């Protein structure tokens, strides 16, 4: 049986090899990014000078606990490398992110990043996106409208809940998890989602990733564009 935790860790260890001292590094969110942040903590302990931008309060707190210097994203013009996870990806570099609820910040960080590295265990690789529902981060004011607009484009949306109330992102937004079935044309769907007023960000990440590192049993497979 595959050990997915080991695959995540191996992918993270491989990814941090791309980091050099004095870089500005984007920190992803989730259980796979957790391993990368811990590895970055080791680099800092060994004398690397790194400034980091975090994609969530949780990742910022973990980084700070490891003495990684976390700075405000608005203090930088660009980010050298970001290491983040994914919920699904294809060999064509199409992916779904946002399962952990950090998609708005993850997308902004990815857009500002020169080298976005996605790390994942082998369960995340799919032939076609869509088994995992597409997270859509919405401004609360607009969430019922967005639910209706998603239905118009054949998306069955459910508002993500936590402790009997709507889950709130670090941005103070709601998340709608939208089921589109298998997505034959992710680019077309992304374009439609971009058109809906009230959507802060959606979980289809297209054209934002430079390298994918996947753990596969005792080794890693690197996909490059
Ligand atoms: C958080 C994300 C995560 O990267 C994604 O959900 C993968 O998480 P994990 O590594 O825990 O499987 O997009 O918003």
């Amino acid at each position: 049986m595959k050990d997915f935790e080991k695959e995540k860790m191996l992918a993270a260890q491989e990814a941090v090899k791309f980091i050099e001292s004095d870089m500005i590094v984007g920190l992803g969110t989730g259980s796979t990014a957790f391993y990368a942040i811990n590895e970055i903590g080791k680099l800092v302990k060994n004398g690397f000078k790194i400034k980091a931008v975090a994609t969530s309060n949780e990742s910022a707190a973990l980084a700070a606990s490891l003495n990684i210097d976390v700075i405000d994203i608005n203090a930088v013009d660009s980010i050298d490398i970001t290491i983040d996870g994914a919920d699904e990806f294809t060999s064509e570099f199409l992916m779904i992110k946002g399962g952990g609820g950090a998609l708005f910040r993850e997308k902004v960080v990815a857009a500002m990043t020169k080298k976005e590295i996605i790390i994942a265990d082998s369960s995340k690789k799919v032939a076609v996106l869509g088994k995992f529902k597409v997270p859509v981060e919405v401004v609360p004011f607009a969430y019922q409208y967005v639910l209706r607009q998603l239905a118009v484009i054949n998306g069955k949306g459910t508002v993500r809940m936590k402790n009997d109330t709507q889950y709130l992102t670090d941005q103070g937004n709601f998340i709608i998890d939208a089921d589109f079935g298998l997505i034959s044309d992710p680019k077309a769907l992304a374009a439609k989602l971009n058109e809906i007023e009230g959507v802060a960000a959606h979980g289809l990440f297209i054209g934002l990733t430079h390298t994918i590192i996947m753990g596969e049993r005792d080794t890693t497979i690197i996909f490059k564009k």
Side-chain angles (χ1 to χ4, degrees), residues 152-168:
V152 170
I153 56 171
N154 298 319
K156 195 175 174 313
T158 313
V159 178
R160 195 180 294 184
M161 303 295 284
K162 191 178 177 185
N163 302 330
D164 288 336
T165 186
Q166 290 99 340
Y167 172 89
L168 272 190

Side-chain angles (χ1 to χ4, degrees), residues 65 69 101 105 124-125 134 140 142 155 166 179 207 216:
S65 76
D69 185 10
R105 291 192 186 180
K124 305 291 182 66
K125 186 168 184 295
V134 180
Q166 290 99 340
D179 187 355
E216 174 66 64

Side-chain angles (χ1 to χ4, degrees), residues 8 29-33 84-87 97-103 106 124:
K8 289 177 192 188
T29 293
S31 61
T32 318
D84 203 350
D87 298 299
K97 284 183 53 53
L103 64 161
E106 290 175 332
K124 305 291 182 66

Side-chain angles (χ1 to χ4, degrees), residues 1-210:
M1 214 170 95
K2 286 186 173 182
D3 178 348
F4 293 132
E5 289 307 310
K6 185 176 183 184
E7 290 184 354
K8 289 177 192 188
M9 191 182 67
L10 290 175
Q13 287 172 341
E14 197 62 35
V16 296
K17 291 180 186 166
F18 289 88
I19 296 176
E20 293 167 20
S21 195
D22 292 317
M23 278 187 166
I24 297 169
V25 179
L27 307 175
T29 293
S31 61
T32 318
F34 167 87
Y35 287 105
I37 296 170
N38 275 290
E39 291 300 320
I40 293 166
K42 289 182 197 165
L43 294 181
V44 169
K45 206 171 174 189
N46 289 334
F48 271 53
K49 290 185 176 47
I50 286 166
K51 290 197 185 305
V53 169
T55 54
S56 63
N57 296 342
E58 192 184 355
S59 292
L62 173 63
S65 76
L66 298 167
N67 296 317
I68 301 170
D69 185 10
V70 181
I71 59 168
D72 188 322
I73 191 166
N74 288 299
V76 299
D77 295 331
S78 64
I79 297 162
D80 294 303
I81 280 191
T82 292
I83 303 175
D84 203 350
D87 298 299
E88 281 186 350
F89 72 90
T90 73
S91 52
E92 292 85 35
F93 281 65
L94 305 166
M95 57 195 71
I96 294 178
K97 284 183 53 53
L103 64 161
F104 176 86
R105 291 192 186 180
E106 290 175 332
K107 212 167 217 182
V108 174
V109 166
M112 288 176 63
T113 295
K114 293 177 196 159
K115 189 176 185 71
E116 174 89 3
I117 303 178
I118 293 297
I119 52 174
D121 64 71
S122 57
S123 72
K124 305 291 182 66
K125 186 168 184 295
V126 297
V128 183
L129 297 180
K131 200 167 164 202
F132 194 93
K133 292 178 190 160
V134 180
V136 180
E137 184 161 342
V138 296
V139 176
F141 181 82
Y143 83 97
Q144 287 292 350
Y145 167 75
V146 173
L147 276 169
R148 290 193 294 275
Q149 293 307 113
L150 290 172
V152 170
I153 56 171
N154 298 319
K156 195 175 174 313
T158 313
V159 178
R160 195 180 294 184
M161 303 295 284
K162 191 178 177 185
N163 302 330
D164 288 336
T165 186
Q166 290 99 340
Y167 172 89
L168 272 190
T169 71
D170 289 346
Q171 293 300 123
N173 292 324
F174 293 168
I175 301 236
I176 296 173
D177 292 299
D179 187 355
F180 291 95
L182 289 182
I183 303 167
S184 58
D185 190 345
K187 283 182 195 162
L189 178 58
K192 286 180 188 164
L193 292 171
N194 287 339
E195 292 284 305
I196 302 176
E197 302 297 348
V199 170
H202 58 77
L204 287 171
F205 279 52
I206 297 168
L208 290 168
T209 302
H210 305 92

